[in-house]
Amino acid sequence: MNEVIKKRYEFVILFDVENGNPNGDPDAGNMPRIDPETGHGIVTDVCLKRKIRNYVDVVKQGADGYNIYVREGAILNRQHEKAYIANNIDPKDEKTARAKVKDLTKFMCDNFFDIRAFGAVMTTEVNCGQVRGPVQINFARSIDPIVQQEVTITRMAVTNEKDADKKGNEMGRKHIVPYALYRAEGYISAHLAEKVTGFTEEDLELLWEGLINMFDHDHSAARGKMATRRLIVFEHSSMLGNAPAHKLFESVKVKRIDSSKPVRSYSDYNVIIDRSLLPEGVNLIEKL
């Protein structure tokens, strides 16, 4: 399980939201992100990676090799300093640091799961190099256009005594999507795992767990009900792969059952996998 992965993978993940905001846009008053030309909803790769990081943090509890580099409240230069201490290098000794940057980068890859998976730019004041991770995820896009709703809510309490003389409650707003099913696609490079970060078979299994369970540890009033519905994995028989990724993705189609009414649940869709499109050397695995 600790061996570096030897095969290339791609995957398709389907997840949904009910009466929640899956990924607010701070440039639009935190309304759900949307493609203005098509009306389809968007969830960024950064948002999905954040949830995977949080899941790993919950499961591993800071175990050796499974620290999280980009975490809430983290000061990245202090994370880098751990590599300097481990290699007996003074952070102010830039000449020695440049000479041993590979050792510093290796320490960061060995000790932080998210660097090993997603890579990181660590060329700040305390330089630990830069790595491109083997795991990359596209923006998720909703299957159908979404409806952004702004719902007015009330709080039966006021903030201070001055407000109490004027009113008996506070008004607020929540931004929700009544229902949407999203699709994201991802890539895992065995070449980058071997040559750069050392992403292992154990890391891979943890990634699959994270993709399946990430929403169960991320519930909040703002996000409503979110869940991973399907995780479909394409496993190649070699490191370089046996087919173009886009051809594999085309074998998974999501169809709306009844277009005459708005969708309000996962059962309003059919997920169709055309296995006849799979070339020799590619194994399709339904993780969920």
Side-chain angles (χ1 to χ4, degrees):
M1 287 292 289
N2 287 324
E3 290 185 358
V4 175
I5 62 170
K6 303 297 184 185
K7 299 177 181 178
R8 197 184 98 189
Y9 296 86
E10 280 86 37
F11 59 89
V12 174
I13 180 173
L14 300 176
F15 62 90
D16 60 1
V17 59
E18 181 180 326
N19 295 326
N21 184 352
N23 188 200
D25 186 348
D27 289 328
N30 209 44
M31 291 286 281
R33 293 182 189 271
I34 194 169
D35 180 339
E37 292 186 315
T38 66
H40 287 80
I42 292 172
V43 174
T44 67
D45 61 321
V46 174
C47 176
L48 296 175
K49 289 176 181 177
R50 172 77 273 144
K51 298 180 193 307
I52 295 169
R53 286 183 170 103
N54 290 346
Y55 175 80
V56 172
D57 203 22
V58 168
V59 170
K60 292 297 185 178
Q61 295 289 310
D64 289 346
Y66 290 92
N67 288 308
I68 298 300
Y69 175 64
V70 181
R71 62 165 65 248
E72 185 177 355
I75 299 173
L76 298 184
N77 280 342
R78 290 184 182 174
Q79 303 278 55
H80 300 173
E81 287 173 359
K82 296 175 183 177
Y84 279 71
I85 292 169
N87 284 276
N88 297 313
I89 301 173
D90 185 343
K92 296 179 181 179
D93 187 351
E94 296 182 6
K95 183 178 179 180
T96 302
R98 283 194 299 270
K100 294 191 174 183
V101 69
K102 289 185 178 180
D103 294 332
L104 297 170
T105 301
K106 185 179 186 304
F107 174 90
M108 298 301 287
C109 289
D110 290 346
N111 285 274
F112 294 92
F113 171 84
D114 50 340
I115 296 177
R116 212 158 51 244
F118 308 129
V121 177
M122 301 172 288
T123 52
T124 54
E125 293 93 342
V126 184
N127 183 14
C128 280
Q130 178 176 336
V131 293
R132 181 155 62 102
V135 181
Q136 301 300 328
I137 304 173
N138 293 335
F139 279 23
R141 177 177 291 269
S142 65
I143 303 301
D144 288 301
I146 65 171
V147 176
Q148 299 168 300
Q149 288 189 1
E150 187 175 65
V151 180
T152 303
I153 57 176
T154 59
R155 184 181 72 191
M156 300 307 297
V158 294
T159 303
N160 54 50
E161 293 181 0
K162 183 179 179 181
D163 289 338
D165 296 333
K166 301 177 181 178
K167 54 189 176 181
N169 57 38
E170 293 278 3
M171 305 289 286
R173 289 180 173 84
K174 290 183 71 172
H175 304 126
I176 67 165
V177 177
Y179 182 83
L181 179 64
Y182 289 79
R183 171 177 174 152
E185 296 160 350
Y187 316 83
I188 303 175
S189 167
H191 173 74
L192 289 175
E194 182 181 63
K195 299 297 183 182
V196 183
T197 72
F199 188 77
T200 68
E201 294 288 344
E202 185 175 355
D203 294 332
L204 182 64
E205 289 305 313
L206 185 58
L207 176 69
W208 299 144
E209 289 179 24
L211 287 167
I212 292 170
N213 299 298
M214 59 184 174
F215 298 112
D216 287 329
H217 298 275
D218 191 57
H219 292 299
S220 74
R223 281 183 280 278
K225 185 168 75 174
M226 296 187 68
T228 299
R229 293 294 185 168
R230 298 292 293 272
L231 176 58
I232 300 163
V233 175
F234 300 97
E235 180 187 61
H236 298 255
S237 63
S238 67
M239 179 178 291
L240 294 178
N242 303 83
H246 71 277
K247 290 291 186 182
L248 301 178
F249 294 147
E250 288 171 359
S251 68
V252 180
K253 294 180 172 60
V254 184
K255 301 289 186 181
R256 190 166 162 179
I257 295 173
D258 185 354
S259 60
S260 67
K261 64 177 184 178
V263 292
R264 285 297 181 268
S265 72
Y266 179 66
S267 62
D268 290 332
Y269 288 100
N270 269 336
V271 179
I272 303 165
I273 302 174
D274 188 349
R275 293 178 180 269
S276 68
L277 297 178
L278 297 178
E280 185 178 350
V282 176
N283 183 30
L284 188 148
I285 306 168
E286 296 185 58
K287 294 283 186 180
L288 182 64

